[in-house]
Amino acid sequence: MKAGFSNLPLLEVRNLRTTFKTEDGIVAAVNGLSFSVDAGKTLGIVGESGSGKSVTSLSVMRLIASNGRIEGGEILFKGEDLLKKSEAQMRKIRGRDIAMIFQDPMTSLNPVLTVGEQIAEATRLHLGLGRKDALDKAVEMLRLVRIPAPEKRLRDYPHQFSGGMRQRVMIAMALSCDPAVLIADEPTTALDVTIQAQILELMNEMQQRLGSAIILITHDLGVVAETCENVLVMYGGNMVEYGTAAQIFGAPKMPYTVGLLESLPRLDQAGARLLPIDGQPPNLLRMPPGCAFAPRCRYRMPICDEPVPLYDFGDGHVARCYLYDERAEAQKRVPAENRPAIPGTAVARGAAATR
């Protein structure tokens, strides 16, 4: 479903580059990233720690730390570039049009203010409600996120809530102004599976009610498979694969994506050995030439030291990998029996032919 303004995506990021100044040099935490998300849709962004997922979300919100800088690119919300907005204009957009559920609710909530005051503050600022109406709205939001006795809990402080309840408070605060875009950064981390399911169900209900676009940042591929229409796989600060959830989980193209899926426990393969990805994520200060994943990849070839373009597999499915380049065929030295068949590669076609 496309948003109703000139058929543009609700949020579109183009060639985003965000860097941080450190004692050791300049780190490109996000390096040329592009993606979009439509109204009523959920985009999952996955990858290992340090791949640039959270920096991407903070860049969209223009909340980069003082040693960071958005070096270039565009962040288009309803066709307008947020990078050209003043800080005063961004304060009006944050919370009202684009809201974020932060990774750790205990550090994101103010410990000296009641949860009611914190939710009410957002509605007073963005919706112009008076104090009584804002507190009534806060009660309504706490009830909506299924916090028992909301009239009473309104006066409680964050430390009086469990981890799952604090996450619900964060969701209530984020959704109190009916944002068009909700960014959820690891919203179910450190929660037990029952609470995880409740939080995800709640976010889905909110999306159905408001028609919001959701960007779900997580390392949990199971959550992505259940909730996201589209999936963006990040590595080394950039996208290495993008497609629908069915494409990513059913026919992954990038070896890194395959590695993530192979390390995921599956109920239909009880007792099967999980296959870890060898090596460590790249040092962003000393990125390898060409493919950032090449030093860890079982398919590495000489051509992988060259900059890798995006290969288009149709229906919006793209990936950065030389396995699909005819120039690389002569360089493939790993015996087929020693590498898994990735759907769509020459290896997969050969394996299918021998069955």
Side-chain angles (χ1 to χ4, degrees):
M1 179 176 66
K2 290 288 185 181
F5 31 83
S6 303
N7 208 32
L8 292 172
L10 185 58
L11 180 71
E12 184 175 9
V13 172
R14 297 178 181 173
N15 200 30
L16 177 65
R17 178 177 167 82
T18 302
T19 63
F20 290 89
K21 186 177 182 180
T22 72
E23 294 180 354
D24 298 318
I26 302 298
V27 170
V30 176
N31 193 9
L33 180 66
S34 299
F35 67 88
S36 64
V37 59
D38 293 332
K41 299 295 184 180
T42 300
L43 170 68
I45 301 182
V46 302
E48 294 170 293
S49 297
S51 61
K53 304 187 303 297
S54 294
V55 174
T56 297
S57 65
L58 293 172
S59 297
V60 171
M61 298 294 288
R62 295 258 312 265
L63 290 174
I64 296 298
S66 58
N67 67 325
R69 180 182 176 186
I70 299 177
E71 296 279 358
E74 296 176 297
I75 302 173
L76 303 175
F77 173 66
K78 296 184 177 180
E80 296 186 6
D81 190 356
L82 298 183
L83 298 183
K84 296 180 180 179
K85 302 287 186 183
S86 67
E87 180 56 30
Q89 290 173 318
M90 281 304 302
R91 282 196 295 269
K92 293 180 179 180
I93 292 171
R94 294 188 201 108
R96 179 64 184 94
D97 297 306
I98 305 176
M100 185 167 177
I101 303 171
F102 291 91
Q103 195 169 50
D104 185 356
M106 195 58 197
T107 57
S108 301
L109 293 169
N110 191 325
V112 300
L113 294 178
T114 66
V115 298
E117 290 175 307
Q118 295 185 61
I119 298 173
E121 181 182 17
T123 57
R124 292 175 70 181
L125 175 65
H126 294 296
L127 302 182
L129 300 183
R131 176 174 173 77
K132 182 181 183 304
D133 289 340
L135 289 174
D136 289 343
K137 177 71 171 179
V139 171
E140 176 189 337
M141 295 306 300
L142 291 177
R143 182 176 294 113
L144 199 62
V145 297
R146 300 173 189 164
I147 290 182
E151 295 85 358
K152 175 180 178 298
R153 301 308 305 268
L154 190 77
R155 298 186 290 273
D156 287 343
Y157 292 86
H159 73 271
Q160 295 174 282
F161 290 78
S162 66
M165 287 296 181
R166 283 195 295 268
Q167 197 66 286
R168 290 169 188 262
V169 170
M170 286 292 296
I171 294 175
M173 189 182 306
L175 295 175
S176 61
C177 298
D178 294 348
V181 177
L182 175 65
I183 302 174
D185 188 359
E186 301 280 7
T188 60
T189 296
L191 302 179
D192 65 59
V193 291
T194 302
I195 301 299
Q196 282 186 22
Q198 293 174 354
I199 294 294
L200 293 171
E201 180 184 0
L202 178 62
M203 289 175 56
N204 181 63
E205 289 178 1
M206 298 300 98
Q207 184 180 51
Q208 295 300 316
R209 183 173 69 87
L210 301 175
S212 303
I214 295 178
I215 298 175
L216 177 63
I217 298 170
T218 182
H219 64 276
D220 192 329
L221 293 174
V223 168
V224 170
E226 292 178 8
T227 61
C228 300
E229 286 90 1
N230 298 299
V231 183
L232 187 158
V233 183
M234 289 191 69
Y235 188 82
N238 206 345
M239 176 181 71
V240 294
E241 186 161 3
Y242 177 90
T244 65
Q247 290 166 341
I248 297 298
F249 287 90
K253 304 300 183 184
M254 172 68 183
Y256 177 64
T257 308
V258 174
L260 291 177
L261 294 173
E262 287 178 340
S263 63
L264 182 68
R266 293 177 52 176
L267 293 177
D268 61 344
Q269 294 182 1
R273 184 171 67 91
L274 299 181
L275 300 176
I277 301 175
D278 293 334
Q280 298 295 324
N283 183 336
L284 297 180
L285 283 167
R286 290 181 290 276
M287 291 289 286
C291 177
F293 185 62
R296 307 171 68 187
C297 184
R298 71 191 83 177
Y299 301 94
R300 185 175 185 176
M301 301 170 287
I303 198 174
C304 296
D305 290 335
E306 300 178 14
V308 189
L310 277 174
Y311 290 85
D312 190 341
F313 301 94
D315 297 324
H317 189 185
V318 295
R320 296 184 192 275
C321 186
Y322 275 121
L323 281 174
Y324 308 96
D325 195 307
E326 292 181 358
R327 294 175 297 162
E329 288 295 328
Q331 298 183 16
K332 293 175 182 176
R333 296 286 183 251
V334 181
E337 62 271 17
N338 293 338
R339 47 190 164 126
I342 301 179
T345 67
V347 177
R349 292 192 294 271
T354 60
R355 291 193 184 100

